[in-house]
Amino acid sequence: MTSYPDWGQETSGLEVAKTYAQYLRGRNVVVTGVSPVGVGEGTAIAFASQKPGALVLVSRTKAKLETIATTIRQSYPGVNVHIVVMDLASQDSIRKAAAEVAKIIPKVDILVNNAGATYRLRQWTAEKIEMQFGANHIGPFLFTKLLFPLLKAAAAESPIGSTRIINLSSHGHRLSTIRFHDYNMEGKEIPLEEQPFSPMPPAFAKASEDGYLSTIAYSQSKTANILFTLSLQQRAGTTGIMSYAVHPGGVTSHLGRDQDKDVTEAISKTSGYWKNSDEGSSTSLVAALDPALNEPRGLYMADCQFFPCADHAMDAKTAERLWSLSEYLIGEKFVLD
């Protein structure tokens, strides 16, 4: 259980940051996927509000990063804010970004892998990995791996479990497990246990002309975010680093700008309450700062509380297979101890 069981979908990220200010001040925070209108903006501003040691904002578009950084400097003068450009669809870009972060700060107390994308049509990363799996999971996997020495440096001088890795996922993970036989969504034959779950709204099952199942591709990547978190919890125990996966809720943003209208309408029917960027950041802030979570209390959170996730997203054997596949796709091992 979290420290404040009465917090929920309308809780403000700014309120969470203020409540846990003593656990944030002077600590170094890295947030990916920061751009105007969305969870990244709300998350960055909430962290900035309580005087972190350094706040590193990471995203693909420099102009958007500069907009948020300017807003923060105007609203909270004196905040040590930095921007780093990174394209999660390019492992070369990720490596350069991680090296830049290491030049800015000697340790990372909190890493929020907030960045995510959804695409209607098939696209590929620079390494020819299906875009949603590549940018939503493989990219954050590599970025976390490269920053892990900085996370360990923070953990070495902090209370056990207070150094955190937060991975944003989605309730959409329920639609698909990991398609190990066809993770690139190329229409290869897959066993029954890797097939999309049904029944699904017709809009979610619709394929593009080349057979690309965009919603299933997105769902696979969101399952991967939770399984990655599970592996971090199981593997990082001796390091003193804790990890949680987060569903931010339905948030008014540009994330679904590439979706078909019928997909957007189907999502709207399942989301119910739509949050603004501040409300959308609150669960990430709880996951990152609540001292009650220094010890593992669960895996997946929504509306500021722990929330059940699908069985396939918390299967230890599947998590191990995904870790091995992820290492293969980045071309190196990710050893935590």
Side-chain angles (χ1 to χ4, degrees):
M1 180 180 292
T2 64
S3 295
Y4 291 87
D6 56 323
W7 281 351
Q9 66 180 7
E10 298 182 44
T11 297
S12 161
L14 288 166
E15 177 188 354
V16 175
K18 183 177 180 180
T19 300
Y20 294 130
Q22 64 177 309
Y23 305 108
L24 174 55
R25 287 175 186 155
R27 305 182 76 204
N28 295 340
V29 181
V30 177
V31 183
T32 71
V34 177
S35 63
V37 187
V39 180
E41 176 184 37
T43 303
I45 290 173
F47 277 124
S49 70
Q50 300 301 323
K51 301 179 181 179
L55 178 60
V56 183
L57 311 181
V58 184
S59 196
R60 183 175 57 181
T61 307
K62 185 177 182 180
K64 293 181 178 179
L65 284 169
E66 289 176 338
T67 297
I68 301 301
T70 298
T71 298
I72 288 172
R73 292 183 182 117
Q74 291 174 344
S75 301
Y76 305 103
V79 172
N80 185 17
V81 59
H82 304 266
I83 64 171
V84 173
V85 175
M86 178 178 73
D87 183 357
L88 283 169
S90 164
Q91 293 184 20
D92 181 61
S93 175
I94 295 167
R95 295 180 189 280
K96 290 177 180 177
E100 189 172 348
V101 172
K103 291 178 181 178
I104 296 170
I105 50 177
K107 63 175 184 174
V108 175
D109 295 280
I110 299 168
L111 169 61
V112 182
N113 286 314
N114 172 83
T118 179
Y119 296 91
R120 179 174 59 88
L121 300 176
R122 186 186 304 278
Q123 296 189 44
W124 304 94
T125 69
E127 295 74 33
K128 303 303 179 185
I129 303 169
E130 186 276 318
M131 180 65 82
Q132 296 189 82
F133 187 64
N136 292 351
H137 167 62
I138 298 300
F141 180 89
L142 174 60
F143 191 56
T144 303
K145 187 265 181 192
L146 296 170
L147 292 187
F148 210 76
L150 303 187
L151 287 154
K152 288 175 70 175
E157 56 186 49
S158 304
I160 293 174
S162 63
T163 302
R164 306 268 174 90
I165 301 167
I166 309 305
N167 298 314
L168 263 70
S169 182
S170 165
H171 285 346
H173 78 273
R174 297 166 178 162
L175 295 178
S176 180
T177 187
I178 306 300
R179 300 160 62 100
F180 290 103
H181 292 76
D182 189 28
Y183 57 84
N184 272 337
M185 306 293 294
E186 296 172 298
K188 296 178 181 178
E189 185 176 351
I190 59 175
L192 181 62
E193 62 268 21
E194 294 179 14
Q195 293 179 14
F197 302 116
S198 60
M200 288 192 296
F204 293 167
K206 185 170 64 175
S208 62
E209 290 184 0
D210 66 354
Y212 180 60
L213 293 165
S214 62
T215 300
I216 300 305
Y218 178 76
S219 300
Q220 172 183 237
S221 73
K222 296 294 99 179
T223 291
N225 297 147
I226 304 174
L227 290 167
F228 176 38
T229 304
L230 176 62
S231 288
L232 287 170
Q233 285 191 354
Q234 295 176 333
R235 291 168 176 259
T238 59
T239 66
I241 298 169
M242 184 53 61
S243 184
Y244 293 104
V246 166
H247 169 60
V251 182
T252 302
S253 70
H254 297 310
L255 177 64
R257 59 187 177 275
D258 190 49
Q259 292 170 338
D260 283 334
K261 181 179 178 180
D262 54 350
V263 173
T264 301
E265 291 176 349
I267 292 173
S268 296
K269 291 178 181 178
T270 62
S271 294
Y273 180 80
W274 283 88
K275 304 181 180 184
N276 58 37
S277 61
D278 177 43
E279 294 166 333
S281 73
S282 60
T283 307
S284 294
L285 269 290
V286 172
L289 299 173
D290 187 347
L293 308 190
N294 284 357
E295 296 182 6
R297 302 286 184 178
L299 176 63
Y300 181 67
M301 302 183 71
D303 293 336
C304 299
Q305 306 299 329
F306 285 105
F307 197 90
C309 63
D311 289 344
H312 65 260
M314 50 190 298
D315 181 79
K317 291 183 179 179
T318 305
E320 285 295 313
R321 289 185 70 188
L322 177 64
W323 191 278
S324 296
L325 174 61
S326 303
E327 288 181 325
Y328 168 75
L329 291 174
I330 67 170
E332 57 189 75
K333 293 290 185 180
F334 183 174
V335 180
L336 279 63
D337 52 20

